[in-house]
Amino acid sequence: MNRNQQFLKVSAAVGTVALAAALLRSEYERAHFVVEETKIASPKIRSAHTLVFLTDLHDREFGQKNCRLLEAVREIRPDAVLIGGDMMLVKPERASLAVTESLLEGLSGLCPVYYANGNHEQRMWQEREEYRGLYLKFRRILYKNRVKYLSDGSALLWDDVRVSGLNIDKKYYYNFFPPHMSARAVQAHLGKADADRYQILLAHSPLSFDAYAGWGADLTLSGHFHGGTIRLPVLGGLMTPQYQFFSRYCEGTFEKDGRCMIVGRGLGTHSVNIRLGNLPQVCVVRLQPGAAGQQG
């Protein structure tokens, strides 16, 4: 065996070991979530509130009937849970509400729950005739568990905080280069933002932060990008579900003109079942009185 052959053999062995290690690590990450906290202040907020934001579960279970996830939420003792969409997987070959139903049953016993659509929920009633029955079942589950459904709707969380859920038109989801969304387009779905109360917006895709802030959202909560699937040092998230590479909005907290957006890494996966350097996330948001902005 010559030197080149030896080099190729060693390289192949090292590559195989590295791939195996990456796959094992990915499997570990998919099964272990973290709880991460952000504090945000505003003069519109008159008393402190604790929110839990969950997004992109995609039928993932952390323990039987998501017992580990429910226990984590219970320990936080939130005043409300906000769900940002895509809790289930809705595809022609797979569509079930079993995981969503058991999770909502558990959450509804802890605190008020507010649910906004992601692209998978919208698919049930917008795109395919075969999902109509599934959508009706979904609505029954929400009603049974007293979950407030924010499908292009709004609700008062408290006297000082309002939350709205935006249904994003599918042209913004299914293009590699989606069109620009305007604040006027958001208003066409939701009416005017509440200027007197702290306005929270559940908008599944984070790509249109400018539009959300321009509409009047003091805080936008988004997901959809699954943290970028694989997170690399310095470069951030590798790829979004729309095959955009190294998007700045894969995860984290962003500010614009005194308004904030938190992009959660989500809890599950679907078409690309990989997480690497990208642990699933339960987002805790501590709202408190004070000067506007992120507090830590």
Side-chain angles (χ1 to χ4, degrees), residues 106-257:
L107 291 174
S108 65
L110 301 178
C111 63
V113 180
Y114 299 80
Y115 196 123
N117 286 331
N119 52 299
H120 282 253
E121 286 86 0
Q122 288 182 217
R123 188 176 297 162
M124 284 191 285
W125 59 272
Q126 283 185 324
E127 294 187 20
R128 296 180 183 274
E129 184 70 25
E130 62 262 37
Y131 294 139
R132 180 173 295 176
L134 193 73
Y135 178 69
L136 293 175
K137 181 180 179 181
F138 172 61
R139 294 298 302 269
R140 289 194 295 269
I141 290 169
L142 296 177
Y143 179 80
K144 181 181 72 173
N145 291 290
R146 304 178 304 282
V147 175
K148 179 66 176 180
Y149 186 37
L150 301 175
S151 177
D152 275 348
S154 302
L156 287 182
L157 293 180
W158 305 281
D159 287 343
D160 54 343
V161 181
R162 180 182 190 242
V163 61
S164 303
L166 175 66
N167 290 341
I168 297 173
D169 295 338
K170 66 180 183 179
K171 65 184 178 182
Y172 299 107
Y173 283 127
Y174 302 120
N175 288 309
F176 297 149
F177 303 102
H180 172 76
M181 185 190 298
S182 66
R184 183 176 296 179
V186 179
Q187 185 168 318
H189 283 262
L190 291 170
K192 292 183 178 181
D194 194 328
D196 298 321
R197 297 179 175 88
Y198 191 75
Q199 175 70 68
I200 298 175
L201 176 64
L202 297 172
H204 189 64
S205 172
L207 279 180
S208 301
F209 180 33
D210 287 353
Y212 308 150
W215 173 72
D218 296 296
L219 171 63
T220 299
L221 299 174
S222 296
H224 187 48
F225 285 174
H226 303 175
T229 307
I230 296 171
R231 296 196 60 76
L232 302 174
V234 181
L235 296 175
L238 175 63
M239 181 181 69
T240 78
Q242 292 169 241
Y243 300 102
Q244 296 141 341
F245 294 91
F246 300 110
S247 169
R248 63 178 296 218
Y249 289 142
C250 280
E251 71 96 33
T253 302
F254 305 87
E255 293 191 38
K256 179 179 177 59
D257 299 329

Side-chain angles (χ1 to χ4, degrees), residues 35-80:
V35 177
E36 297 180 348
E37 181 175 312
T38 303
K39 295 179 181 178
I40 293 179
S42 170
K44 293 182 181 179
I45 299 170
R46 295 195 293 271
S47 58
H49 308 289
T50 297
L51 304 174
V52 164
F53 173 56
L54 305 176
T55 188
D56 297 284
L57 182 67
H58 289 300
D59 291 333
R60 184 73 186 180
E61 287 189 285
F62 298 92
Q64 186 175 14
K65 292 189 174 182
N66 265 308
C67 59
R68 289 195 285 123
L69 179 57
L70 288 168
E71 181 58 29
V73 176
R74 186 178 295 110
E75 290 180 0
I76 296 163
R77 300 178 65 184
D79 299 306

Side-chain angles (χ1 to χ4, degrees), residues 78-93:
D79 299 306
V81 170
L82 306 183
I83 293 178
D86 280 13
M87 301 309 279
M88 72 291 291
L89 183 63
V90 179
K91 301 178 78 172
E93 68 277 11

